[in-house]
Amino acid sequence: MEELIRKHALKNALDYGKANPKAVLGKVLAENPELKAKVKEILPLVEKIVVQVNSLSREEIAQAIAGYSFEAKKEEKKETLPELSNVGKEVVMRFAPNPSGPLHLGHARAAVLNDAYVKRYGGKLILRIEDTDPARVYPPAYEMIQEDLRWLGVEVHEVVVQSSRLEIYYEYARKLIEAGHAYVCECTSEEFQKLKLAKQECEHRSKSVKENLEDFERMFTEYKEGEAVLRLKTGVDLRDPAMRDFPIMRISETPHPRVKARVYPLMNFSVAIDDHLLGITHVLRGKDHIVNTRKQEFIYRFFGWRMPEFIHYGRLKIEGLALSTSKIKEGIEAGKYAGWDDASLGTLRALARRGFRSKAIRRAMLDVGVKQSDISFSWKNLFAYNRELIEPIANRYFFVASPVEVIIEGAPEFSRDVRLHPDYPERGSRKLELTPEQGIASVFIAQSDYEKLREGSFMRLMEGFNIEIVEKGKEKARARFHSFELDEAKRRKAPLIHWVPAQENIAVKVVKPDRIESGVGEPSLVNVKRDDIVQFERYGFARIDEVGDGVVAYYAHP
């Protein structure tokens, strides 16, 4: 029994930095289901062994685990997206962002799900950039969006930019007017709102087709912004006020970076026209778009077109990072954010800069799927998926945040080679050294560890030796060397503390979403390169962003 528990405790500690009693118990019961009846007896033993394992260094854990065998990991769970209905000869889908900035985590859901379905059915994915609101266009976003999709592994078969299709929208607007389904309205928005709620027609609704065609042309030349809109004649007595004669074309005098125009289609009109002309067969969209789907149904009905299949999914609540591209842009201009890849942002660029892999984001979004219920995004799952990808490539180093000095009396001359990665000896090792002067040496430990120290505390410096705290002040502590014996540290349940020599180290800044933590790292960090993924022991994974006089790393997750 103890060997079985120890085996899983070692594996859990190796995978996640520290063993978790509940996780270890779950693995033990999964391997031996008959033990479920004895959980109360087993749990204390699990907790005891987990404490023992957590007192070991990673190298010691790696050495100990070599004596155990594990079943090969099951193949990664296949996509569980439901089948599409009414699939014909070819599935054609679209991802349709507004070019107000690069893509963020919220966009990733629609992009990944569309891509997954198209790949499943051997279909076609169209990137449609919806840029018919000049006020929301950020010119660099046209290319940024495509770069982000390539990074995300989304395969685009065709790119369509709506501002290049204005003449198409004008043509279909005229057809609606000629068929008596649309009219030019000169009411202010406030005036029309009152009429709409009262189920009353505005005075412009009864104009002739000729008058409406003439007024539509005047929208291009005479009317000013806000003086006229083209409305779809749906009915003023419809049950839902949102459906009553809604606008489909408007005037905007805001300059557009790509075209010279002043009349633009509103979203429901351009989307319906494009979905039909581009042959879109299935549309994935949030259930907050159900009203828009119903509006677009009028346009399909007036033209006698068949609607695509619509799949409406629930909201995905993503907390912790800024997602609004308009607010991010304002923040960048105001100096609040360093750029679109600022660590506090939820853009794909920011996540990539922190060391997240696109495969992890893709897997997390496939988990979310097309469920109709609203759900909160699981950062825990994303961290776990990303950890699986980066743990094997992340070399280990010591980084001490907010360092506090500990002076060690009677310190020995110390030098030890430690593997860069406990599972891959072929990568080589890093050297941990401590050179005392007249029997005294100093090390830095993290402020968070220092706060837990008490006079008389017995502790072990990771991969090093045992010390005992003699005196603790506000800014530094005095300790004395005790022994090299690891068994004694285990027996006394000594805390395991990472450290950095005070005399020789490297300045390190770790950029987190909510703050920057400054500290020092071990001398071996001189060998890291930009874009390396590292694991700072007892701290977390990070991507190396700058290497020079010191090191700047962007924090990923624990």
Side-chain angles (χ1 to χ4, degrees):
M1 175 66 71
E2 289 192 16
E3 285 301 304
L4 176 63
I5 296 171
R6 183 174 174 80
K7 161 187 166 180
H8 289 294
L10 289 166
K11 184 69 168 62
N12 194 246
L14 194 63
D15 287 345
Y16 300 103
K18 277 196 172 185
N20 180 288
K22 290 183 179 179
V24 173
L25 179 62
K27 292 292 185 181
V28 170
L29 297 180
E31 189 168 329
N32 290 271
E34 68 276 6
L35 296 176
K36 290 182 179 179
K38 300 181 179 180
V39 169
K40 289 185 179 180
E41 300 172 32
I42 297 171
L43 185 56
L45 185 57
V46 170
E47 292 173 339
K48 175 185 174 183
I49 293 174
V50 163
V51 170
Q52 295 172 354
V53 168
N54 285 341
S55 70
L56 302 176
S57 68
R58 289 196 65 84
E59 185 174 10
E60 290 165 335
I61 291 171
Q63 291 171 351
I65 205 172
Y68 298 98
S69 60
F70 294 85
E71 291 183 12
K73 274 189 177 181
K74 293 181 180 179
E75 289 186 14
E76 187 175 313
K77 183 173 66 174
K78 292 185 177 180
E79 294 172 10
T80 56
L81 296 177
E83 295 291 327
L84 295 176
S85 58
N86 295 321
V87 174
K89 292 181 180 179
E90 184 182 30
V91 168
V92 181
M93 304 181 76
R94 43 84 162 176
F95 173 61
N98 180 282
S100 56
L103 301 183
H104 56 62
L105 199 54
H107 292 118
R109 182 186 192 183
V112 167
L113 295 179
N114 275 286
D115 181 62
Y117 272 124
V118 166
K119 286 175 177 173
R120 176 187 291 186
Y121 291 99
K124 176 181 179 181
L125 178 62
I126 296 173
L127 168 62
R128 188 172 70 213
I129 298 180
E130 299 187 344
D131 63 341
T132 56
D133 182 353
R136 297 181 62 199
V137 174
Y138 176 65
Y142 290 93
E143 184 55 36
M144 296 172 88
I145 288 170
Q146 296 185 62
E147 291 170 354
D148 290 344
L149 289 175
R150 286 192 289 270
W151 179 81
L152 199 54
V154 172
E155 185 180 355
V156 172
H157 301 90
E158 183 181 351
V159 179
V160 172
V161 179
Q162 284 193 328
S163 62
S164 66
R165 298 167 61 82
L166 293 180
E167 290 299 331
I168 295 174
Y169 308 135
Y170 301 155
E171 175 189 352
Y172 281 92
R174 292 186 181 99
K175 287 182 178 181
L176 286 174
I177 294 172
E178 290 167 354
H181 295 313
Y183 64 97
V184 175
C185 174
E186 297 178 36
C187 296
T188 66
S189 57
E190 292 81 7
E191 290 170 344
F192 191 84
Q193 179 73 2
K194 290 179 182 178
L195 292 169
K196 180 175 72 173
L197 294 177
K199 295 185 178 181
Q200 295 178 2
E201 295 184 2
C202 85
E203 60 181 311
H204 311 104
R205 198 175 194 270
S206 58
K207 288 189 297 187
S208 68
V209 168
K210 180 182 177 183
E211 288 175 309
N212 278 312
L213 286 172
E214 289 174 349
D215 285 346
F216 183 61
E217 298 309 316
R218 289 174 60 203
M219 288 179 67
F220 293 86
T221 56
E222 298 179 28
Y223 288 115
K224 291 183 172 59
E225 183 173 344
E227 290 184 347
V229 296
L230 182 67
R231 294 188 179 278
L232 196 66
K233 193 180 289 186
T234 60
V236 298
D237 58 349
L238 295 173
R239 183 175 180 179
D240 184 355
M243 298 296 120
R244 298 171 190 167
D245 285 15
F246 56 86
I248 57 174
M249 301 283 289
R250 70 181 181 101
I251 299 168
S252 174
E253 295 174 341
T254 300
H256 195 289
R258 293 173 72 99
V259 293
K260 189 175 182 180
R262 66 194 311 271
V263 178
Y264 295 92
L266 288 161
M267 186 270 288
N268 283 305
F269 186 58
S270 61
V271 162
I273 300 301
D274 282 341
D275 281 351
H276 172 72
L277 296 181
L278 297 173
I280 302 299
T281 62
H282 296 78
V283 175
L284 300 180
R285 65 196 328 187
K287 65 182 184 183
D288 53 313
H289 279 285
I290 289 176
V291 170
N292 291 324
T293 301
R294 290 170 54 206
K295 286 183 176 181
Q296 291 160 33
E297 187 176 355
F298 282 99
I299 298 167
Y300 275 86
R301 191 187 311 152
F302 287 153
F303 284 117
W305 297 338
R306 179 181 175 182
M307 289 186 73
E309 293 290 325
F310 286 88
I311 300 97
H312 295 95
Y313 48 67
R315 286 185 59 215
L316 178 61
K317 189 175 182 181
I318 303 174
E319 295 183 341
L321 297 174
L323 294 175
S324 167
T325 49
S326 59
K327 290 182 179 179
I328 292 173
K329 183 173 177 289
E330 291 174 5
I332 292 172
E333 292 170 350
K336 180 179 178 181
Y337 304 124
W340 290 102
D341 56 0
D342 188 281
S344 63
L345 303 180
T347 61
L348 297 184
R349 290 163 183 257
L351 293 171
R353 191 174 188 184
R354 289 172 55 190
F356 283 88
R357 296 309 197 234
S358 59
K359 287 183 179 179
I361 294 174
R362 186 181 185 92
R363 188 175 169 190
M365 291 306 168
L366 289 173
D367 280 353
V368 170
V370 292
K371 303 176 185 70
Q372 292 187 349
S373 56
D374 295 344
I375 58 174
S376 293
F377 181 72
S378 173
W379 286 102
K380 182 179 178 181
N381 284 353
L382 178 59
F383 291 168
Y385 296 154
N386 200 60
R387 191 181 294 113
E388 286 182 21
L389 296 170
I390 66 176
E391 195 280 336
I393 65 171
N395 288 339
R396 276 49 167 175
Y397 297 95
F398 288 165
F399 159 67
V400 171
S402 303
V404 183
E405 187 178 11
V406 176
I407 301 169
I408 305 170
E409 299 173 351
E413 188 84 23
F414 173 76
S415 179
R416 183 174 184 181
D417 289 329
V418 181
R419 288 182 183 176
L420 285 166
H421 194 295
D423 298 341
Y424 302 98
E426 66 275 11
R427 286 193 201 165
S429 60
R430 63 195 219 266
K431 190 174 288 293
L432 294 178
E433 294 182 299
L434 196 61
T435 305
E437 293 184 7
Q438 297 180 346
I440 296 178
S442 292
V443 298
F444 286 130
I445 67 172
Q447 176 73 38
S448 56
D449 287 328
Y450 189 80
E451 291 171 355
K452 299 173 186 175
L453 296 184
R454 299 291 181 269
E455 291 182 4
S457 294
F458 185 83
M459 55 188 279
R460 182 172 181 82
L461 301 181
M462 288 181 68
E463 308 290 357
F465 48 82
N466 306 322
I467 61 174
E468 188 173 357
I469 302 301
V470 176
E471 181 182 354
K472 179 186 176 183
K474 290 184 178 180
E475 297 181 355
K476 64 177 64 176
R478 189 165 57 87
R480 60 169 166 256
F481 169 77
H482 189 279
S483 67
F484 283 104
E485 296 301 321
L486 178 60
D487 288 341
E488 182 179 12
K490 293 179 184 177
R491 188 174 65 253
R492 296 179 62 168
K493 298 180 180 179
L496 202 59
I497 308 294
H498 63 287
W499 56 281
V500 169
Q503 288 75 23
E504 187 179 359
N505 51 64
I506 289 179
V508 177
K509 285 186 179 179
V510 177
V511 182
K512 288 187 164 186
D514 58 345
R515 65 189 185 278
I516 296 175
E517 289 196 328
S518 297
V520 292
E522 64 177 76
S524 299
L525 280 168
V526 71
N527 298 315
V528 299
K529 299 179 180 61
R530 178 179 167 83
D531 289 328
D532 282 353
I533 301 294
V534 301
Q535 183 182 11
F536 290 135
E537 299 271 15
R538 300 180 65 234
Y539 188 86
F541 293 93
R543 176 192 149 272
I544 302 300
D545 193 72
E546 295 178 28
V547 179
D549 293 336
V551 169
V552 177
Y554 271 61
Y555 183 77
H557 50 74

